[in-house]
């Protein structure tokens, strides 16, 4: 069973958002990294890029497949996780500790459209 963490917001495309002080840390869930297998590359946007909820903002590539990253929420990219350039496998080691981008949230009400941990677990078990 994939690990799901309480207090995060989850999307149907298997991204999570951890919210702290008006910023959102966005990454892929444990379920997603497990399905992808060994992550070999992460395509990330640039700092200052605007991302829109429901739109693609990058991709994660594994030895098996490439998967688009879909923004779970809208905002402005303020930081990308540089460690993933040299060590994309960190996502496999701990998907929740190794977020992909940090965004300044433009509208926190968008979080209402996302799932909580319990709803996401049920979604994954379908």
């Amino acid at each position: 069973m994939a690990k799901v963490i309480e207090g995060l917001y989850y999307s149907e495309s298997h991204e999570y958002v951890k919210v702290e002080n008006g910023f959102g840390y966005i990454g892929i869930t444990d379920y997603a990294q497990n399905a992808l297998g060994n992550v070999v590359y992460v395509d990330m946007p640039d700092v200052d890029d605007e991302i829109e909820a429901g739109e693609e903002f990058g991709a994660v590539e594994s030895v098996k497949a490439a998967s688009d990253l879909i923004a779970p929420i809208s905002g402005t990219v303020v930081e990308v996780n540089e460690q993933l350039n040299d060590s994309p496998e960190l996502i496999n080691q701990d998907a929740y500790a190794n977020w992909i981008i940090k965004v300044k949230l433009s509208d926190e009400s968008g979080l209402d459209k996302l799932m909580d941990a319990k709803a996401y677990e049920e979604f994954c078990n379908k």
Side-chain angles (χ1 to χ4, degrees), residues 32-74:
Q33 73 78 19
N34 207 26
L36 278 167
N38 294 335
V39 174
V40 294
Y41 179 71
V42 183
D43 180 30
M44 296 178 277
D46 294 323
V47 170
D48 293 332
D49 279 4
E50 297 288 327
I51 63 167
E52 284 296 319
E55 310 252 315
E56 183 186 327
F57 71 86
V60 175
E61 292 178 24
S62 71
V63 287
K64 290 196 287 194
S67 181
D68 288 338
L69 293 167
I70 307 300
I73 192 151
S74 301

Side-chain angles (χ1 to χ4, degrees), residues 3-122:
K3 182 166 81 170
V4 177
I5 296 182
E6 289 290 334
L8 301 182
Y9 298 89
Y10 297 90
S11 69
E12 290 189 359
S13 52
H14 305 288
E15 287 84 15
Y16 69 82
V17 183
K18 179 172 92 177
V19 178
E20 285 181 1
N21 305 324
F23 292 97
Y25 295 84
I26 299 174
I28 63 169
T29 65
D30 191 50
Y31 180 93
Q33 73 78 19
N34 207 26
L36 278 167
N38 294 335
V39 174
V40 294
Y41 179 71
V42 183
D43 180 30
M44 296 178 277
D46 294 323
V47 170
D48 293 332
D49 279 4
E50 297 288 327
I51 63 167
E52 284 296 319
E55 310 252 315
E56 183 186 327
F57 71 86
V60 175
E61 292 178 24
S62 71
V63 287
K64 290 196 287 194
S67 181
D68 288 338
L69 293 167
I70 307 300
I73 192 151
S74 301
T76 305
V77 178
V78 293
E79 193 179 336
V80 296
N81 188 344
E82 300 281 353
Q83 289 183 329
L84 299 178
N85 289 329
D86 296 326
S87 305
E89 69 279 359
L90 288 170
I91 289 177
N92 296 117
Q93 292 166 18
D94 188 339
Y96 297 112
N98 294 288
W99 49 273
I100 296 171
I101 60 172
K102 177 182 176 183
V103 297
K104 177 145 186 43
L105 303 178
S106 57
D107 182 8
E108 288 199 31
S109 71
L111 294 167
D112 299 341
K113 298 184 180 85
L114 300 172
M115 294 177 273
D116 64 9
K118 184 176 186 315
Y120 182 68
E121 263 184 59
E122 289 168 5

